[in-house]
C-alpha cells in the first residue's frame, strides 16, 4: 500500500507541483526561494522512488515494528516466503533500487567528467589568450563581440571580452561584474549541478529537464538582485541590452558557463525596469520550512504505511 501511495505522491509532484512551480509568478519576487523549492521537489521525487523500491523489496518483521531482525528476514519476500505476488513485487522493487542507484552513479560520473574536461580546455584557452586585469578582478580575452561569463570550478574566474570592456560604460561594466560575482558567491554553479545530475541520470523525465531550465533561469534573476545592490538596475539593464545585441552567447551549448546575458533577457529587463515587490519575510520563512519538509513527506508516508500494516 505504501508503494501505491508513494507512487501517487511522486506522480503528483511530476504532473501537478512541478508544472505549477514552472508557471508561478511569485518566483519573480523571490528567485532564491524558488531555486530551493525546485531542489526540494527533485529531492522528494528521488526519495519517493527510493522508498518505493525499499518498501516493496524489504519485509519488516511485525514483532520488531520498523526494524528488521536480520537482513535474511528483511529479504525473505525476495525468496518467496510471502507468496508469488509478494515475491514479484519484491523483485520489481529491487530492480527499481538497482536501476535508480546505477542511473544516479552514471549521471554523477557523466556530469563530473564532462564538466572537468570542458573546464580544463577553457582554462587552457584563457591562459593562452586571456590577460588578467587586476583593476577588474577578471580575465580579459580579445574578441569582437561583447560578452562576460563565469568559469566556475576550484578557482572561479570572471571572463570578459575586450569588446565588452570597450562598449560598456564604466557603471555598466561594474554592474556586469557584480552580476558575475553574485554567481560565484551564491555558488550558483553548484545549485545548477545538483539539478543537472538529476537530469543527466533521468533525461526522459520531464520534471528534471524543467527543473534544470528553471534553476538556470532563476539563478540569473538572483544574480541580478545581488548585482543591483552595488550598481543600478538601469546600468545592468543597459549592459544586458549591449551584451544581447552583441549576438554571441558563450553559455550556449556550454553548461558550465554562467553568462551575464544568460536566461530570458526580456524577462530580466522587464524585472530590472519594473522590479516586483519582494515576498513578505514571514511568508518566505514559512515557505522555506514547507519546502525543506517536502522530501520528508515520502519518509513519513512509508513509516505510516509500515505502522498501518503492522497494526
Ligand atoms: Zn548570469
Amino acid at each position: 500500500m505504501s508503494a501505491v501511495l508513494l507512487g501517487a505522491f511522486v506522480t503528483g509532484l511530476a504532473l501537478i507541483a512541478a508544472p505549477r512551480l514552472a508557471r508561478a509568478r511569485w518566483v519573480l519576487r523571490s528567485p532564491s526561494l524558488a531555486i530551493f523549492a525546485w531542489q526540494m521537489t527533485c529531492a522528494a521525487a528521488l526519495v519517493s522512488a527510493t522508498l518505493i523500491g525499499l518498501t516493496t523489496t524489504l519485509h519488516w518483521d511485525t514483532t520488531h515494528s520498523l526494524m528488521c531482525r536480520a537482513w535474511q528476514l528483511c529479504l525473505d519476500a525476495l525468496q518467496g516466503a510471502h507468496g508469488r505476488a509478494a515475491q514479484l513485487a519484491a523483485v520489481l522493487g529491487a530492480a527499481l533500487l538497482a536501476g535508480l542507484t546505477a542511473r544516479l552513479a552514471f549521471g554523477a560520473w557523466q556530469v563530473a567528467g564532462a564538466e572537468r574536461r570542458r573546464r580544463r580546455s577553457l582554462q587552457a584557452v584563457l591562459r593562452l589568450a586571456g590577460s588578467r586585469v587586476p583593476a577588474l578582478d577578471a580575465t580579459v580575452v580579445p574578441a569582437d563581440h561583447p560578452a562576460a561569463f563565469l568559469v566556475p570550478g576550484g578557482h572561479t574566474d570572471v571572463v570578459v571580452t575586450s569588446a565588452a570592456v570597450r562598449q560598456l560604460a564604466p557603471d555598466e561594466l561594474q554592474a556586469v561584474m557584480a552580476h558575475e560575482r553574485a554567481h560565484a558567491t551564491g555558488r550558483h554553479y553548484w545549485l545548477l549541478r545538483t539539478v543537472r545530475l538529476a537530469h543527466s541520470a533521468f533525461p526522459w523525465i520531464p520534471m528534471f529537464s524543467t527543473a534544470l531550465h528553471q534553476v538556470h533561469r532563476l539563478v540569473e534573476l538572483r544574480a541580478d538582485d545581488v548585482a543591483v545592490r552595488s550598481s543600478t538596475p538601469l546600468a545592468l539593464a543597459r549592459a544586458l541590452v549591449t551584451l544581447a545585441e552583441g549576438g554571441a552567447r558563450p553559455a550556449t551549448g556550454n553548461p558550465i558557463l554562467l553568462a551575464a546575458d544568460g536566461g530570458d533577457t526580456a524577462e530580466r529587463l522587464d524585472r530590472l525596469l519594473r522590479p516586483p515587490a519582494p515576498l513578505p519575510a514571514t511568508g518566505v520563512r514559512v515557505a522555506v520550512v514547507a519546502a525543506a519538509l517536502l522530501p520528508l513527506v515520502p519518509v513519513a508516508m512509508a513509516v505510516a504505511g509500515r505502522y498501518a500494516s503492522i497494526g
Side-chain angles (χ1 to χ4, degrees):
M1 192 59 187
S2 293
V4 175
L5 290 176
L6 286 165
F9 178 71
V10 76
T11 304
L13 283 180
L15 299 184
I16 299 171
R20 285 183 72 120
L21 186 54
R23 286 194 303 269
R25 298 297 297 168
W26 64 261
V27 303
L28 299 174
R29 301 172 64 188
S30 182
S32 300
L33 174 61
I35 293 167
F36 187 60
W38 273 112
Q39 293 197 306
M40 291 301 102
T41 304
C42 291
L46 291 174
V47 169
S48 300
T50 306
L51 286 170
I52 290 172
L54 276 176
T55 51
T56 48
T57 304
L58 301 181
H59 164 248
W60 277 268
D61 176 22
T62 53
T63 60
H64 289 74
S65 73
L66 297 173
M67 299 299 293
C68 298
R69 228 180 348 204
W71 275 105
Q72 185 58 36
L73 187 60
C74 287
L75 297 171
D76 57 4
L78 266 180
Q79 295 157 2
H82 303 282
R84 295 289 292 172
Q87 187 177 27
L88 181 63
V91 168
L92 289 175
L96 174 66
L97 274 179
L100 200 64
T101 308
R103 289 297 314 183
L104 280 174
F106 176 68
W109 174 78
Q110 235 183 356
V111 167
E115 290 181 358
R116 194 169 47 244
R117 284 191 296 278
R118 286 197 187 99
R119 194 182 310 116
R120 278 184 188 155
S121 57
L122 262 168
Q123 285 169 340
V125 170
L126 291 175
R127 270 196 299 275
L128 284 173
S131 50
R132 188 82 197 148
V133 178
L136 282 177
D137 190 21
T139 298
V140 177
V141 290
D144 295 334
H145 50 266
F149 52 93
L150 182 78
V151 181
H155 171 70
T156 51
D157 196 7
V158 177
V159 177
V160 60
T161 64
S162 53
V165 176
R166 266 197 320 275
Q167 294 179 24
L168 294 174
D171 61 334
E172 295 167 7
L173 188 58
Q174 186 203 341
V176 165
M177 300 306 286
H179 173 96
E180 291 307 326
R181 287 193 198 103
H183 279 317
T185 54
R187 302 277 192 273
H188 293 171
Y189 169 66
W190 288 99
L191 298 178
L192 274 165
R193 203 178 200 196
T194 54
V195 282
R196 190 175 295 133
L197 165 62
H199 172 60
S200 181
F202 307 103
W204 59 85
I205 297 180
M207 183 174 79
F208 293 137
S209 52
T210 305
L212 180 58
H213 173 76
Q214 288 296 320
V215 173
H216 208 162
R217 166 196 173 211
L218 291 163
V219 294
E220 296 302 336
L221 302 184
R222 173 62 186 158
D224 286 347
D225 287 350
V226 176
V228 297
R229 288 179 196 158
S230 59
S231 60
T232 65
L234 191 57
L236 184 55
R238 284 199 313 260
L240 263 180
V241 171
T242 303
L243 295 174
E245 284 178 349
R249 299 188 63 173
T252 304
N254 192 330
I256 79 163
L257 298 179
L258 285 162
D261 61 335
D264 184 334
T265 304
E267 178 182 65
R268 287 174 61 192
L269 284 173
D270 186 50
R271 193 166 169 273
L272 284 167
L273 299 175
R274 290 186 302 165
L279 289 176
T282 311
V284 170
R285 277 196 287 272
V286 170
V288 165
V289 172
L293 291 175
L294 195 59
L296 297 180
V297 171
V299 177
M301 289 169 74
V303 171
R306 186 53 52 187
Y307 267 118
S309 67
I310 290 169

PDB file of all heavy atoms in Angstrom, residues 179-180 183 220 223 258-262 268, ligand 1:
ATOM      1  N   HIS A 179      27.155  41.130 -11.281  1.00  0.00           N
ATOM      2  CA  HIS A 179      26.274  40.006 -11.621  1.00  0.00           C
ATOM      3  C   HIS A 179      27.073  38.699 -11.637  1.00  0.00           C
ATOM      4  O   HIS A 179      26.652  37.687 -11.065  1.00  0.00           O
ATOM      5  CB  HIS A 179      25.631  40.279 -12.987  1.00  0.00           C
ATOM      6  CG  HIS A 179      24.834  39.128 -13.521  1.00  0.00           C
ATOM      7  ND1 HIS A 179      23.475  39.023 -13.365  1.00  0.00           N
ATOM      8  CD2 HIS A 179      25.227  38.020 -14.193  1.00  0.00           C
ATOM      9  CE1 HIS A 179      23.063  37.905 -13.919  1.00  0.00           C
ATOM     10  NE2 HIS A 179      24.109  37.276 -14.436  1.00  0.00           N
ATOM     11  N   GLU A 180      28.241  38.723 -12.285  1.00  0.00           N
ATOM     12  CA  GLU A 180      29.057  37.501 -12.363  1.00  0.00           C
ATOM     13  C   GLU A 180      29.579  37.074 -10.986  1.00  0.00           C
ATOM     14  O   GLU A 180      29.602  35.890 -10.657  1.00  0.00           O
ATOM     15  CB  GLU A 180      30.228  37.703 -13.330  1.00  0.00           C
ATOM     16  CG  GLU A 180      29.813  37.831 -14.785  1.00  0.00           C
ATOM     17  CD  GLU A 180      28.941  36.680 -15.261  1.00  0.00           C
ATOM     18  OE1 GLU A 180      29.131  35.546 -14.807  1.00  0.00           O
ATOM     19  OE2 GLU A 180      28.044  36.930 -16.075  1.00  0.00           O
ATOM     20  N   HIS A 183      27.055  35.217  -9.085  1.00  0.00           N
ATOM     21  CA  HIS A 183      27.009  33.785  -9.442  1.00  0.00           C
ATOM     22  C   HIS A 183      28.049  33.019  -8.623  1.00  0.00           C
ATOM     23  O   HIS A 183      27.793  31.913  -8.145  1.00  0.00           O
ATOM     24  CB  HIS A 183      27.341  33.599 -10.926  1.00  0.00           C
ATOM     25  CG  HIS A 183      26.195  33.864 -11.857  1.00  0.00           C
ATOM     26  ND1 HIS A 183      24.916  33.421 -11.619  1.00  0.00           N
ATOM     27  CD2 HIS A 183      26.137  34.525 -13.041  1.00  0.00           C
ATOM     28  CE1 HIS A 183      24.133  33.788 -12.619  1.00  0.00           C
ATOM     29  NE2 HIS A 183      24.851  34.470 -13.491  1.00  0.00           N
ATOM     30  N   GLU A 220      19.910  33.427 -12.741  1.00  0.00           N
ATOM     31  CA  GLU A 220      20.150  34.719 -13.403  1.00  0.00           C
ATOM     32  C   GLU A 220      19.384  35.834 -12.695  1.00  0.00           C
ATOM     33  O   GLU A 220      19.919  36.928 -12.468  1.00  0.00           O
ATOM     34  CB  GLU A 220      19.747  34.640 -14.880  1.00  0.00           C
ATOM     35  CG  GLU A 220      20.548  33.662 -15.716  1.00  0.00           C
ATOM     36  CD  GLU A 220      22.028  33.960 -15.708  1.00  0.00           C
ATOM     37  OE1 GLU A 220      22.412  35.107 -15.457  1.00  0.00           O
ATOM     38  OE2 GLU A 220      22.821  33.019 -15.926  1.00  0.00           O
ATOM     39  N   ALA A 223      21.127  36.561  -9.429  1.00  0.00           N
ATOM     40  CA  ALA A 223      22.373  37.324  -9.624  1.00  0.00           C
ATOM     41  C   ALA A 223      22.060  38.785  -9.937  1.00  0.00           C
ATOM     42  O   ALA A 223      22.780  39.688  -9.488  1.00  0.00           O
ATOM     43  CB  ALA A 223      23.213  36.695 -10.736  1.00  0.00           C
ATOM     44  N   LEU A 258      28.358  30.522 -16.766  1.00  0.00           N
ATOM     45  CA  LEU A 258      27.224  31.339 -16.352  1.00  0.00           C
ATOM     46  C   LEU A 258      27.440  32.711 -16.968  1.00  0.00           C
ATOM     47  O   LEU A 258      28.233  33.506 -16.470  1.00  0.00           O
ATOM     48  CB  LEU A 258      27.160  31.409 -14.826  1.00  0.00           C
ATOM     49  CG  LEU A 258      26.638  30.126 -14.155  1.00  0.00           C
ATOM     50  CD1 LEU A 258      26.998  30.090 -12.693  1.00  0.00           C
ATOM     51  CD2 LEU A 258      25.143  30.002 -14.343  1.00  0.00           C
ATOM     52  N   ALA A 259      26.744  32.984 -18.068  1.00  0.00           N
ATOM     53  CA  ALA A 259      26.982  34.221 -18.807  1.00  0.00           C
ATOM     54  C   ALA A 259      26.175  35.366 -18.216  1.00  0.00           C
ATOM     55  O   ALA A 259      25.136  35.162 -17.603  1.00  0.00           O
ATOM     56  CB  ALA A 259      26.607  34.045 -20.272  1.00  0.00           C
ATOM     57  N   ALA A 260      26.669  36.590 -18.455  1.00  0.00           N
ATOM     58  CA  ALA A 260      25.954  37.765 -17.942  1.00  0.00           C
ATOM     59  C   ALA A 260      24.606  37.909 -18.621  1.00  0.00           C
ATOM     60  O   ALA A 260      23.667  38.423 -18.039  1.00  0.00           O
ATOM     61  CB  ALA A 260      26.798  39.014 -18.162  1.00  0.00           C
ATOM     62  N   ASP A 261      24.489  37.476 -19.899  1.00  0.00           N
ATOM     63  CA  ASP A 261      23.207  37.602 -20.594  1.00  0.00           C
ATOM     64  C   ASP A 261      22.500  36.252 -20.689  1.00  0.00           C
ATOM     65  O   ASP A 261      21.769  35.982 -21.631  1.00  0.00           O
ATOM     66  CB  ASP A 261      23.390  38.211 -21.987  1.00  0.00           C
ATOM     67  CG  ASP A 261      24.275  37.352 -22.881  1.00  0.00           C
ATOM     68  OD1 ASP A 261      25.093  36.590 -22.333  1.00  0.00           O
ATOM     69  OD2 ASP A 261      24.139  37.437 -24.108  1.00  0.00           O
ATOM     70  N   GLY A 262      22.739  35.396 -19.674  1.00  0.00           N
ATOM     71  CA  GLY A 262      22.064  34.103 -19.652  1.00  0.00           C
ATOM     72  C   GLY A 262      20.600  34.267 -19.275  1.00  0.00           C
ATOM     73  O   GLY A 262      20.146  35.335 -18.889  1.00  0.00           O
ATOM     74  N   ARG A 268      14.322  39.435 -17.805  1.00  0.00           N
ATOM     75  CA  ARG A 268      15.248  40.098 -16.881  1.00  0.00           C
ATOM     76  C   ARG A 268      15.164  41.616 -17.018  1.00  0.00           C
ATOM     77  O   ARG A 268      15.176  42.345 -16.028  1.00  0.00           O
ATOM     78  CB  ARG A 268      16.673  39.589 -17.133  1.00  0.00           C
ATOM     79  CG  ARG A 268      16.896  38.168 -16.645  1.00  0.00           C
ATOM     80  CD  ARG A 268      18.262  37.664 -17.043  1.00  0.00           C
ATOM     81  NE  ARG A 268      19.330  38.471 -16.469  1.00  0.00           N
ATOM     82  CZ  ARG A 268      20.613  38.378 -16.839  1.00  0.00           C
ATOM     83  NH1 ARG A 268      20.956  37.502 -17.759  1.00  0.00           N
ATOM     84  NH2 ARG A 268      21.524  39.123 -16.267  1.00  0.00           N
TER      85      ARG A 268
HETATM   86 ZN1  LIG B   1      24.376  35.358 -15.283  1.00  0.00          ZN
END
